[in-house]
Amino acid sequence: KLLTSNSHRSISITNLSRYITTLILAEHESGSIKPQTVSTVVAANHLGESSSVSLLLAGSGSSLQEAASQAASCHPSVSEVLVADSDIFEYPLAEPWAKLIDFVRQQRHYSHILASSSSFGKNILPRVAALLDVSPVTDVVKILGSNEFIRPIYAGNALCRVRYTGAGPCVLTIRTTSFPVTPITESKRATISQIDLSNFKEDSVSRSRYMGQSTQDTERPDLGSARVVITGGRAVKSVENFKMIEKLAEKLGGAVGATRAAVDAGYVPNDLQVGQTGKIVAPELYMAFGVSGAIQHLAGIKDSKVIVAVNKDADAPIFQVADYGLVGDLFEVIPELLEKLQEK
Ligand code: FAD
């Protein structure tokens, strides 16, 4: 799959690899660190053997401190948890958060700055790169050394090997589905330090303003990290019919996904979109009902362990990537499946 490479340009990486100090922008919610942050720590461990990893948590109040305490033991390779506790960081606005990373970097000098390729990380890290006047390397799926990475291009149809040759810190966003977290047996607690923000200056002219946030109360697992994903396509035809997909997801303890066509038709909200311009998923089981298998959709599911597809059309491209394919009508197959699962 490796199509392009600029590896002919040679610079010595041995010196760099000796001094790897990584700052990771952590994501947390309700007093807990998100799984994608731990995957980003796993990725940081591939940068080189002699590396130290610091996690940066920003926010305000008791849930931030709870998350910091959890972050201190989230992975044995984390040596320090830095906490920026201020009302300025109550909401994840890109401008102050990017400035915070720059502020911390000026005091502690990191060779690498990482965040996950979530919408949170993708909002903030390019701005950090702009502040530092460096080129970010985004969507990293493999780390070959401290400055050599593999990332997808052309909607995931080719993998590109890139070497970072900039003078400043290497700024990376990590596609976390490529860095699974293995069970951690070693228990080790990192130190927790509160950042002194007395010299931190906010922009006098703020370009963005927090308006509100809406989250859906659901028992279902997060789409990006679910072990089972059940996806419906345009063929599901309505909001009402999508309830079948939801019911199946509930039965299998999975998350619901959708194609862009289903989202555009208004059957489900757009945070359920899977694919190039949606979420990248890598579950153990991915079930696609009435999904044609467009290249932009496949870009988001190709790391799934087992893909099951149900489609009326035997020539649908989804069958080329499916491990199990059933040519059939989803309106017959899903009720039958629900009935059989009921019996168990
Ligand atoms: P269709 O392509 O219309 O397929 C419907 C399928 O359902 C057909 O294969 C049909 O045979 C089958 N079917 C019909 N009735 C039944 C039935 N009763 N039972 C079983 N099967 C049935 N798409 C994404 O999904 N995610 C993205 O992130 C994304 N990003 C994009 C980015 C760009 C820049 C562009 C240009 C496009 C993007 N798209 C994305 C859109 C993508 O190209 C496709 O249009 C979309 O994925 C098609 O969705 P679909 O499979 O639901 O619909």
Side-chain angles (χ1 to χ4, degrees), residues 182-193:
T182 47
I184 297 156
T185 46
E186 197 187 333
S187 75
K188 202 175 139 211
R189 271 192 84 74
T191 55
I192 300 179
S193 313

Side-chain angles (χ1 to χ4, degrees), residues 262-310:
V263 168
D264 287 351
Y267 307 155
V268 284
N270 69 355
D271 58 335
L272 297 192
Q273 184 177 317
V274 173
Q276 183 194 340
T277 44
K279 299 250 164 72
I280 306 291
V281 299
E284 276 160 36
L285 173 64
Y286 187 83
M287 295 181 90
F289 293 92
V291 172
S292 59
I295 197 165
Q296 296 89 353
H297 186 76
L298 300 184
I301 68 166
K302 66 176 182 44
D303 288 332
S304 304
K305 307 283 174 304
V306 175
I307 298 177
V308 176
V310 177

Side-chain angles (χ1 to χ4, degrees), residues 94-344:
E95 287 98 344
W97 285 57
K99 279 203 82 175
L100 172 67
I101 294 172
D102 191 26
F103 177 75
V104 172
R105 181 206 61 91
Q106 283 171 27
Q107 294 164 7
R108 294 168 196 252
H109 305 287
Y110 293 97
S111 61
H112 292 72
I113 298 173
L114 272 60
S116 75
S117 281
S118 60
S119 45
F120 174 83
K122 285 194 284 194
N123 192 20
I124 296 168
L125 272 224
R127 198 174 287 270
V128 172
L131 286 173
L132 303 181
D133 198 19
V134 298
S135 292
V137 181
T138 56
D139 263 337
V140 170
V141 293
K142 195 164 182 190
I143 294 175
L144 303 173
S146 60
N147 64 351
E148 216 164 306
F149 315 100
I150 293 193
R151 62 182 299 271
I153 53 171
Y154 305 129
N157 280 298
L159 294 172
C160 177
R161 183 171 176 164
V162 265
R163 179 172 289 177
Y164 178 72
T165 56
C170 185
V171 175
L172 309 173
T173 65
I174 303 294
R175 192 173 274 192
T176 50
T177 50
S178 300
F179 296 93
V181 180
T182 47
I184 297 156
T185 46
E186 197 187 333
S187 75
K188 202 175 139 211
R189 271 192 84 74
T191 55
I192 300 179
S193 313
Q194 305 291 326
I195 298 171
D196 176 5
L197 294 166
S198 49
N199 290 326
F200 180 77
K201 288 191 182 58
E202 262 192 288
D203 273 338
S204 51
V205 184
S206 180
R207 292 184 187 84
S208 60
R209 196 155 49 91
Y210 180 80
M211 302 296 287
Q213 180 174 327
S214 70
T215 50
Q216 287 194 317
D217 268 344
T218 168
E219 298 283 292
R220 274 186 235 118
D222 172 58
L223 178 58
S225 51
R227 294 177 64 226
V228 175
V229 174
I230 314 293
T231 285
R234 193 199 309 266
V236 177
K237 282 193 184 143
S238 70
V239 177
E240 199 48 44
N241 291 343
F242 236 92
K243 297 223 163 63
M244 267 189 329
I245 301 279
E246 288 166 15
K247 221 169 175 181
L248 189 57
E250 252 153 54
K251 279 253 175 286
L252 297 171
V256 172
T259 63
R260 177 157 141 183
V263 168
D264 287 351
Y267 307 155
V268 284
N270 69 355
D271 58 335
L272 297 192
Q273 184 177 317
V274 173
Q276 183 194 340
T277 44
K279 299 250 164 72
I280 306 291
V281 299
E284 276 160 36
L285 173 64
Y286 187 83
M287 295 181 90
F289 293 92
V291 172
S292 59
I295 197 165
Q296 296 89 353
H297 186 76
L298 300 184
I301 68 166
K302 66 176 182 44
D303 288 332
S304 304
K305 307 283 174 304
V306 175
I307 298 177
V308 176
V310 177
N311 197 305
K312 268 201 323 200
D313 176 5
D315 294 326
I318 188 90
F319 288 130
Q320 286 166 23
V321 297
D323 299 284
Y324 299 93
L326 180 62
V327 179
D329 187 331
L330 69 93
F331 294 104
E332 289 168 14
V333 175
I334 299 180
E336 198 180 332
L337 204 49
L338 284 169
E339 207 179 299
K340 294 256 158 68
L341 286 167
Q342 193 78 40
E343 288 165 13
K344 293 220 163 193

